[in-house]
Amino acid sequence: RSVYDDQPNAHQKFMEKLDACIRNHDREIEKMCNFHHQGFVDAITELLKVRADAEKLKVQVTDTNRRLQDAGKEVIAQTEEIIRCRVQQRNITTVVEKLQLCLPVLEMYSKLKEQMSVKRYYSALKTMEQLENLYLPRVSQYRFCQIMIENLPKLREEIKEISMSDLKDFLESIRKHSDRIGETAMKQAQQQKTFSTALQKQNNVNYGRNVHLGRNRILESKNEITLKRTFEDEDEHEEEVLTAQDLVDFSPVYRCLHIYSVLGDGEIFENYYRKQRRKQARLVLQPQSSMHETVEGYRRYFSQIVGFFVVEDHILHVTQGLVTRTYTDELWNMALSKIIAVLRTHSSYCSDPDLVLELKNLIVVFADTLQGYGFPVNRLFDLLFEIRDQYNETLLKKWSGLFRDIFEADNYSPIPVANEEEYRIVISKFPFQDPELDKQSFPKKLPMSQSVPQIYMQVKEFIYASLKFSESLHRSSTEIDDMLRKSTNLLLTRTLSSCLQNLIKKPHIGLTELVQIIINTTHLEQACKYLEDFISNITNISQLTVHTARLYGLSTFKDARHAAEGEIYTKLNQKIDEFIQIADYDWTMSESDGRASGYLMDLINFLRSTFQVFTHLPGKVAQTACMSACQHLSMSLMQMLLDSELKQISMGAIQQFNLDVIQCELFASSEPVPGFQGDTLQLAFIDLRQLLDLFMVWDWSTYLADYGQATSKYLRVNPSTALTLLEKMKDSSKKNNIFAQFRKNDRDKQKLIETVVKQLRSLVNGMSQHT
């Protein structure tokens, strides 16, 4: 590099220096060769001397080798034969060893094929496991082993498919037989309950206390459970009852579970089984649309559900991990919510109390059965209380119809009894006691009508019907007593009360019928205490108990009586109005007929006969009815005088009207209903009397002078009333010349009327301004 970095012509200088270096080395080489040349010459000379000896040695060696080869040919042949034999022996030993390794593999594979053919799949899986882990690794280098290794996964899949197919068949079988399984389980629970009840009665245990059905199953071992129970039939022969194992073969589940567990897919199988069973649960819980129409519909629905959970309970105890208690509880809670919703919906369509009662019995058996398998059923018994209310509603509707029929068929007349036998028949149905009536001789009449004992008997029948639902609800006698009393109260205060109110309002019920209804309600009210005793005898709960409810029949019958009394007053007034409507007064008549009007006499005769019927009523009722009728009659007569359509009235009409009022006063003073003090009843016509007296006497100066004083003779005459009537008389005198005689005798009479009219108007105007 230094050469090339110099000035120009550096290459030429480099070559010159290189040539100089080469010449130096050549001179050194030449010196070295000259130094060793003599030794080389001596060695060549020595080599030439040895060459002749070498030729001789070569000939000798060649000859010796030829002779040696000829002598060793036979030895070589024998040696090769020995080698070949030993190789064969070694190969044979190797083949035997390899065959000894292969034969167990082939035997196991043959065994596997045989197990597959006879459907022993679990054993086949065990054989495949041995093949893979023990035998095949020893001979894996052979091609037939590779074929086996490739076939084993296929066989596993085949086994999984076959076992899954068996499981699906099992699930389908369970779906078909669940109702039979459930029906059998429910029958067993019912028999067990009957047996327990009989045992309690035998041991003198209180029948009304809570009876809880325990779990009626015994686990034979950790992995096995039996559902078989033995009962004695009516002929005292023991009979083995079919169980879930008898109706369904569970082996496909066990095989499939073992197979999937061996294959390491146990979790997959568990998830699949639970998923499919959940789907079946939804199908089982889905009700038929017409299920509520018959008992069989409900029975089949409950049987399917019981069968489903009996199978799950069996699977829970005979398998480990396939289903867990948490899973079954979760499934049961889901099912219970659905069951309650279905029953709440479908039971609402039931209008027949017998069907509701059958449904209640089915629910009780259903709950007791599942409670025996460890499932909580408190919510079902809570639902029964809701259904109990609905049952009571259906009973109330049914008894409402019965009450209506009884009331429609009643003749509303006292019950006639011809002899002692008939009398005892009546009092056997109704608790009637009357010492005075007992003293009378036959034939005689009981005060109530035939509907009273019929109603009383129907109330008792209602209590029996209500009791039927309260049985088997695992409730104490106190609670049952309370339920019976509450339902009876509803019957009395709502149903019977409504029927009585409707009966009273019916147009064909007359005054006689209303009087009999009042008498009937009085006796029914008195019989309420016997109904309380009747309930206490059924439930063995004393009425003295603090929490015992009371019957509210008193208020029911009191309300009915008050309504009947009010209807009596109304009908009396309506009848009075009918008589008033046929009144035909000649308001322009010159003088009266001298006797009372015919319509009024008919009305008074009607009132007399009517009040005679009221002798059986309580005194105050008859007195109130009589006073109400007189007051209404007085008011109607007053309105007749003051009617705006009546434009004029003569003095003769006033006189005729006065005769009619006198008859009313005579009727009032004749004491049509006993019990009035003094002239109390006559006071009903006091307003009319004072008004008519004023016009009959024509004592206007006294009226005007004493008006507003407490001691006034015409205290009850209102100025506006007097003015209205006086104006009608004034108009009549102008048009019909009624007062002509007054003009002849006293021409100032007309002026007097006008003066009185003006003064009355001043009084009326003064009252209006003051007001």
Side-chain angles (χ1 to χ4, degrees):
R1 182 179 298 169
S2 63
V3 174
Y4 283 102
D5 290 340
D6 289 341
Q7 297 298 326
N9 298 323
H11 178 70
Q12 183 178 0
K13 292 179 180 180
F14 173 74
M15 294 303 295
E16 290 176 356
K17 289 182 180 181
L18 184 58
D19 289 339
C21 185
I22 291 171
R23 285 193 297 274
N24 290 335
H25 284 295
D26 286 341
R27 283 194 294 270
E28 290 179 359
I29 292 170
E30 186 177 358
K31 288 179 182 180
M32 182 63 68
C33 290
N34 289 332
F35 178 76
H36 292 286
H37 180 268
Q38 186 60 43
F40 175 74
V41 173
D42 293 337
I44 292 300
T45 301
E46 287 294 331
L47 184 59
L48 289 175
K49 290 179 181 181
V50 173
R51 182 172 62 182
D53 294 333
E55 288 292 338
K56 292 179 182 179
L57 180 60
K58 178 179 179 182
V59 173
Q60 291 177 356
V61 169
T62 301
D63 185 56
T64 302
N65 180 62
R66 179 181 56 76
R67 290 196 306 269
L68 184 60
Q69 292 293 332
D70 292 339
K73 284 182 181 180
E74 185 177 355
V75 175
I76 291 172
Q78 294 294 327
T79 302
E80 289 178 353
E81 183 66 21
I82 291 172
I83 292 172
R84 186 178 64 79
C85 289
R86 289 182 176 178
V87 168
Q88 287 180 349
Q89 287 180 345
R90 186 172 62 250
N91 289 341
I92 290 171
T93 302
T94 303
V95 168
V96 170
E97 291 176 355
K98 297 302 181 183
L99 286 176
Q100 288 177 345
L101 290 176
C102 292
L103 281 176
V105 175
L106 295 174
E107 289 175 355
M108 292 296 290
Y109 195 78
S110 176
K111 180 181 178 182
L112 173 62
K113 288 292 185 180
E114 183 180 356
Q115 290 171 340
M116 290 290 294
S117 63
V118 296
K119 299 182 179 181
R120 295 173 57 193
Y121 302 115
Y122 181 71
S123 300
L125 287 175
K126 291 295 185 182
T127 302
M128 279 190 275
E129 184 179 358
Q130 291 179 352
L131 278 171
E132 287 181 326
N133 297 332
L134 183 61
Y135 294 99
L136 287 177
R138 301 174 183 176
V139 291
S140 59
Q141 67 273 22
Y142 301 111
R143 188 176 61 177
F144 76 90
C145 292
Q146 295 298 325
I147 296 173
M148 291 182 182
I149 293 173
E150 293 174 359
N151 285 337
L152 290 181
K154 297 179 181 179
L155 292 175
R156 282 197 178 90
E157 290 299 324
E158 182 181 352
I159 291 173
K160 288 176 66 175
E161 291 176 0
I162 293 173
S163 61
M164 185 57 68
S165 176
D166 292 343
L167 177 65
K168 291 178 179 179
D169 293 340
F170 164 79
L171 293 175
E172 181 64 24
S173 175
I174 284 295
R175 180 74 178 90
K176 291 180 180 179
H177 292 85
S178 60
D179 55 340
R180 292 180 59 194
I181 298 172
E183 184 178 355
T184 301
M186 291 173 67
K187 181 179 178 182
Q188 294 168 357
Q190 198 168 12
Q191 290 174 338
Q192 178 65 26
K193 183 178 179 181
T194 303
F195 176 76
S196 299
T197 303
L199 186 61
Q200 285 184 345
K201 288 183 178 180
Q202 184 178 359
N203 294 332
N204 295 323
V205 177
N206 187 1
Y207 182 63
R209 71 181 184 181
N210 291 340
V211 180
H212 295 285
L213 181 63
R215 186 166 187 159
N216 298 318
R217 292 180 293 113
I218 300 176
L219 299 180
E220 293 181 349
S221 65
K222 185 175 182 179
N223 296 325
E224 290 185 0
I225 181 173
T226 178
L227 301 179
K228 297 179 180 179
R229 299 189 183 102
T230 303
F231 296 95
E232 292 186 2
D233 57 11
E234 296 179 356
D235 297 330
E236 299 183 357
H237 294 294
E238 294 186 352
E239 179 181 359
E240 185 176 354
V241 182
L242 293 177
T243 61
Q245 295 96 320
D246 300 319
L247 298 174
V248 178
D249 181 15
F250 286 91
S251 58
V253 181
Y254 311 148
R255 286 198 301 269
C256 202
L257 175 61
H258 289 317
I259 288 169
Y260 272 78
S261 299
V262 170
L263 296 177
D265 294 334
E267 185 176 355
I268 296 176
F269 172 73
E270 292 172 7
N271 294 334
Y272 175 81
Y273 176 83
R274 295 179 184 181
K275 180 180 179 181
Q276 294 301 316
R277 289 296 279 167
R278 285 182 184 276
K279 289 181 179 179
Q280 288 190 346
R282 294 187 181 96
L283 292 176
V284 167
L285 295 171
Q286 191 66 30
Q288 298 294 330
S289 58
S290 59
M291 183 181 72
H292 62 278
E293 296 178 357
T294 61
V295 178
E296 289 302 321
Y298 286 110
R299 181 175 287 111
R300 179 173 177 80
Y301 180 68
F302 288 135
S303 297
Q304 289 179 344
I305 296 173
V306 171
F308 178 89
F309 283 99
V310 166
V311 170
E312 288 304 290
D313 184 78
H314 179 74
I315 294 295
L316 172 66
H317 290 89
V318 299
T319 61
Q320 294 181 351
L322 180 56
V323 295
T324 61
R325 175 55 67 182
T326 302
Y327 161 78
T328 55
D329 290 343
E330 178 184 354
L331 198 61
W332 169 243
N333 290 331
M334 181 272 292
L336 190 58
S337 299
K338 179 66 176 177
I339 293 168
I340 292 174
V342 168
L343 292 178
R344 185 176 286 126
T345 300
H346 282 262
S347 63
S348 63
Y349 295 115
C350 295
S351 58
D352 183 7
D354 294 334
L355 179 58
V356 178
L357 185 62
E358 289 289 341
L359 173 59
K360 167 257 176 182
N361 293 332
L362 284 175
I363 293 176
V364 170
V365 175
F366 173 74
D368 288 343
T369 302
L370 289 173
Q371 188 180 41
Y373 287 92
F375 295 100
V377 294
N378 291 334
R379 292 174 62 189
L380 284 174
F381 284 102
D382 294 338
L383 174 66
L384 283 175
F385 282 97
E386 298 180 21
I387 297 179
R388 182 202 64 189
D389 296 336
Q390 181 185 347
Y391 174 72
N392 285 336
E393 288 297 326
T394 58
L395 286 181
L396 292 175
K397 289 180 181 179
K398 179 179 179 180
W399 258 256
S400 177
L402 293 174
F403 290 154
R404 286 196 301 269
D405 294 340
I406 291 173
F407 289 139
E408 288 293 334
D410 195 6
N411 57 6
Y412 297 99
S413 300
I415 301 176
V417 287
N419 49 50
E420 182 72 21
E421 183 180 357
E422 292 183 2
Y423 179 74
R424 292 190 179 278
I425 291 175
V426 175
I427 64 174
S428 66
K429 297 179 181 178
F430 183 76
F432 175 75
Q433 295 178 354
D434 189 348
E436 295 297 328
L437 186 63
D438 291 342
K439 296 177 181 179
Q440 298 178 13
S441 60
F442 292 99
K444 53 188 175 182
K445 292 184 178 181
L446 303 181
M448 64 279 190
S449 66
Q450 61 184 2
S451 64
V452 172
Q454 293 176 355
I455 291 294
Y456 183 80
M457 292 300 296
Q458 285 301 326
V459 173
K460 293 175 68 175
E461 289 297 326
F462 176 87
I463 295 173
Y464 279 126
S466 182
L467 177 65
K468 289 180 181 179
F469 195 94
S470 301
E471 294 174 343
S472 305
L473 291 185
H474 304 327
R475 289 295 183 267
S476 65
S477 297
T478 303
E479 292 174 303
I480 293 176
D481 182 87
D482 186 62
M483 287 188 288
L484 287 180
R485 293 178 185 272
K486 287 181 178 179
S487 59
T488 306
N489 278 330
L490 280 177
L491 177 72
L492 296 177
T493 58
R494 195 172 77 183
T495 304
L496 182 56
S497 176
S498 176
C499 291
L500 285 171
Q501 296 292 340
N502 293 334
L503 174 67
I504 292 169
K505 296 295 183 182
K506 287 187 176 181
H508 70 276
I509 298 297
L511 292 171
T512 305
E513 288 80 2
L514 289 172
V515 170
Q516 188 62 54
I517 289 173
I518 292 176
I519 297 172
N520 290 348
T521 54
T522 302
H523 288 283
L524 286 172
E525 178 182 342
Q526 295 171 355
C528 282
K529 62 180 181 179
Y530 296 101
L531 290 176
E532 290 187 341
D533 295 338
F534 177 71
I535 295 175
S536 298
N537 292 334
I538 291 177
T539 59
N540 292 326
I541 298 298
S542 173
Q543 297 184 41
L544 301 178
T545 305
V546 177
H547 301 289
T548 301
R550 294 290 182 264
L551 297 183
Y552 305 129
L554 296 175
S555 62
T556 296
F557 299 119
K558 284 181 180 178
D559 293 342
R561 261 199 315 279
H562 292 160
E565 292 167 5
E567 194 66 20
I568 286 177
Y569 308 150
T570 302
K571 287 187 179 295
L572 269 176
N573 294 341
Q574 290 175 352
K575 200 67 178 177
I576 292 173
D577 291 339
E578 292 177 6
F579 281 100
I580 294 294
Q581 287 175 1
I582 64 175
D584 187 17
Y585 284 102
D586 182 6
W587 298 108
T588 60
M589 61 193 312
S590 58
E591 59 183 18
S592 66
D593 295 338
R595 63 180 183 275
S597 302
Y599 85 93
L600 187 67
M601 297 306 297
D602 293 339
L603 172 58
I604 291 175
N605 292 331
F606 164 76
L607 291 176
R608 288 185 187 280
S609 61
T610 299
F611 291 140
Q612 288 178 357
V613 179
F614 287 5
T615 55
H616 298 293
L617 286 176
K620 292 183 178 180
V621 177
Q623 294 170 13
T624 304
C626 186
M627 177 60 74
S628 173
C630 291
Q631 289 176 344
H632 185 74
L633 176 58
S634 175
M635 188 181 302
S636 300
L637 292 174
M638 181 69 78
Q639 290 176 352
M640 188 184 301
L641 284 176
L642 304 178
D643 189 2
S644 59
E645 295 182 359
L646 178 60
K647 302 299 183 183
Q648 57 184 353
I649 185 170
S650 65
M651 192 62 185
I654 293 292
Q655 294 171 352
Q656 181 65 40
F657 201 82
N658 183 58
L659 293 175
D660 292 343
V661 174
I662 291 174
Q663 290 298 321
C664 294
E665 292 173 332
L666 291 174
F667 169 74
S669 62
S670 66
E671 197 174 7
V673 173
F676 285 106
Q677 296 180 356
D679 57 351
T680 303
L681 192 58
Q682 291 175 286
L683 293 177
F685 301 96
I686 189 64
D687 292 353
L688 268 175
R689 171 48 49 211
Q690 291 187 8
L691 179 64
L692 291 175
D693 285 348
L694 176 62
F695 277 85
M696 294 292 294
V697 179
W698 207 255
D699 193 9
W700 292 104
S701 58
T702 303
Y703 173 74
L704 294 173
D706 296 343
Y707 178 74
Q709 298 180 11
T711 58
S712 174
K713 180 180 179 181
Y714 304 103
L715 181 64
R716 309 282 298 190
V717 179
N718 189 287
S720 61
T721 303
L723 177 60
T724 301
L725 188 57
L726 190 58
E727 287 181 338
K728 295 178 185 293
M729 295 184 68
K730 184 183 70 172
D731 293 340
S732 176
S733 65
K734 290 181 179 180
K735 296 180 180 180
N736 300 322
N737 203 18
I738 295 299
F739 289 96
Q741 57 180 342
F742 295 133
R743 289 197 297 272
K744 293 177 182 179
N745 299 325
D746 190 1
R747 296 182 182 276
D748 294 334
K749 191 68 173 180
Q750 182 66 31
K751 293 181 180 180
L752 176 61
I753 293 176
E754 293 178 356
T755 302
V756 173
V757 167
K758 289 179 181 179
Q759 292 178 348
L760 290 175
R761 284 177 180 170
S762 299
L763 286 176
V764 172
N765 293 333
M767 291 173 60
S768 300
Q769 292 176 0
H770 178 71
T771 303

